[in-house]
Amino acid sequence: MKKIAVLTSGGDAPGMNAAIRAVVRYGIYYDMEVYAVHRGYEGLIDNEFERMHRRSVADILHRGGTIIKTARSARFHDPENRKKAYKNLETLEIEGLIVIGGNGSLTGAKLLSEETGIPVMGIPGTIDNDLRYTDYTIGFDTAVNTVLDAITKIRDTSSSHERSTVIEVMGRHCGDIAVYSGFAGGAEIVLIPEKDISVDEVVDKVASGIESGKLHSIIIRAEGYPVSSNDLIKAIKDKTGQDVKLVVLSYLQRGGSPTLRDRVLATECGMLAVELLKDGVYNRAIGEVDGKIQDFDLGEALAAERPIRDELLQGIKVLSM
Ligand code: F6P
């Protein structure tokens, strides 16, 4: 394989730049021409390619975001636009496409490959950790550490003022950011889309905490939990009389310099994606399972199930006594 392209798609995630750097430099090492596609699938449709050189990826390893930009492309859902995207790849004689992104982005890569035959590779890049074939996605560790830092700071002030806080974190379909940060941050309760926890349970937990002498409670609510933060706060206030504040961490979670774990994961994924294309192994999704970087059939990877870690939820319940 002599010419490959790489794009980032969907929500950006810290570590995407580290993956781009690995792809570009490994590609060059194997005598390939490497192209970056700007703005994800949008740029693929609109022919926004850039030939990358060793120096194009200098000084980006430590930077959050993605230097080649990203987008959520509604247009890529249209088969006509996918044809257009393929034509652009064909014109440049690009033989393999590496897509760094989440579930929707890797699904787009699979479709493109099925319809056109272009070999693709998926690298899991999303803070949500919602690609279930891999234990971790690029950006998750950095995001969860950002949340942890926020919890630590909020703890100081909420115990001083004896009030509780609902901390809203990202995760529309996957509660991993909430679960891991709540577990490591000593939250009283974690609310996620995957688990049915009633508002009454939340209120009772805060009330029993107050009774047992707790100065404050930290409630982590993933954005996909069906009851809004404001409704939760109202219910807690009504029942306990305690003051409750809301902190929405929002896009703070998507920025920042990638952690060691994210840099290692991203770099190893980028290296393996290029190695596989070079060896003629196509349509794989790269990921980390049991501490090892591995590749999986793309279709099977997208259909994989990884249940939420119940033992962490149980730990939160018991340890917040
Ligand atoms: O997919 C990553 C993510 O940050 C989600 O956690 C969040 O729900 C969503 O993106 C926000 O999307 P946007 O950047 O389009 O507002």
Side-chain angles (χ1 to χ4, degrees):
M1 187 164 286
K2 283 287 159 215
K3 282 190 185 185
I4 61 170
V6 59
L7 62 81
T8 47
S9 165
D12 63 350
M16 279 183 163
N17 282 327
I20 296 165
R21 170 179 173 269
V23 167
V24 169
R25 292 202 171 156
Y26 250 60
I28 291 169
Y29 174 73
Y30 286 123
D31 290 326
M32 295 172 176
E33 274 183 29
V34 187
Y35 291 81
V37 185
H38 287 253
R39 298 168 46 248
Y41 291 120
E42 286 289 294
L44 200 58
I45 299 167
D46 294 338
N47 207 13
E48 295 177 30
F49 288 80
E50 181 194 359
R51 173 84 188 270
M52 301 296 271
H53 304 280
R54 269 187 303 173
R55 299 266 70 80
S56 319
V57 290
D59 246 346
I60 65 166
L61 178 60
H62 60 291
R63 283 166 57 189
T66 158
I67 59 157
I68 57 177
K69 309 280 185 292
T70 186
R72 296 188 194 279
S73 177
R75 288 195 297 154
F76 202 67
H77 292 286
D78 177 350
E80 282 310 307
N81 283 327
R82 291 199 292 274
K83 260 191 214 155
K84 213 167 152 192
Y86 177 66
K87 272 262 157 274
N88 294 332
L89 289 163
E90 209 180 23
T91 307
L92 273 176
E93 296 177 332
I94 287 167
E95 298 156 289
L97 175 67
I98 298 174
V99 172
I100 307 169
N103 209 304
S105 308
L106 268 49
T107 304
K110 181 173 167 277
L111 267 178
L112 184 70
S113 170
E114 282 167 358
E115 290 169 358
T116 66
I118 179 101
V120 294
M121 282 290 160
I123 292 183
T126 163
I127 66 162
D128 288 354
N129 215 32
D130 63 348
L131 281 162
R132 314 282 181 165
Y133 72 92
T134 175
D135 290 345
Y136 298 105
T137 57
I138 296 163
F140 171 69
D141 188 63
T142 309
V144 106
N145 274 293
T146 300
V147 175
L148 202 51
D149 182 50
I151 296 174
T152 306
K153 287 173 174 151
I154 289 162
R155 270 186 170 282
D156 289 344
T157 172
S158 57
S159 68
S160 305
H161 285 265
E162 297 176 76
R163 60 191 172 200
S164 292
T165 313
V166 171
I167 303 177
E168 191 176 301
V169 300
M170 280 186 167
R172 281 185 289 213
H173 309 289
C174 177
D176 275 12
I177 293 180
V179 172
Y180 279 79
S181 64
F183 183 78
E188 268 61 37
I189 197 154
V190 163
L191 304 168
I192 55 175
E194 298 93 331
K195 292 279 167 196
D196 197 13
I197 298 177
S198 71
V199 175
D200 285 347
E201 264 179 82
V202 182
V203 171
D204 289 348
K205 180 79 186 183
V206 177
S208 69
I210 295 169
E211 246 171 62
S212 70
K214 267 186 191 273
L215 295 178
H216 68 122
S217 290
I218 302 276
I219 298 132
I220 312 287
R221 176 187 171 272
E223 60 186 340
Y225 176 73
V227 181
S228 76
S229 296
N230 285 325
D231 286 353
L232 264 179
I233 288 173
K234 184 171 180 319
I236 301 168
K237 275 184 177 168
D238 287 352
K239 173 82 188 278
T240 67
Q242 194 179 50
D243 191 12
V244 188
K245 298 292 181 195
L246 171 62
V247 177
V248 182
L249 294 178
S250 187
Y251 294 100
L252 266 182
Q253 296 161 92
R254 288 242 294 259
S257 182
T259 57
L260 170 105
R261 176 175 252 295
D262 277 332
R263 292 185 201 195
V264 171
L265 175 63
T267 304
E268 284 203 88
C269 285
M271 288 160 53
L272 183 58
V274 175
E275 295 268 4
L276 292 172
L277 285 178
K278 169 186 75 72
D279 293 341
V281 182
Y282 304 146
N283 304 340
R284 310 290 288 172
I286 320 282
E288 179 186 323
V289 175
D290 297 334
K292 196 170 174 293
I293 304 297
Q294 306 176 39
D295 57 293
F296 305 87
D297 173 78
L298 183 55
E300 284 172 21
L302 288 167
E305 292 290 336
R306 166 172 39 77
I308 207 86
R309 289 191 58 192
D310 275 324
E311 68 277 22
L312 297 189
L313 289 174
Q314 174 64 8
I316 292 167
K317 215 179 208 172
V318 174
L319 295 169
S320 63
M321 61 174 63

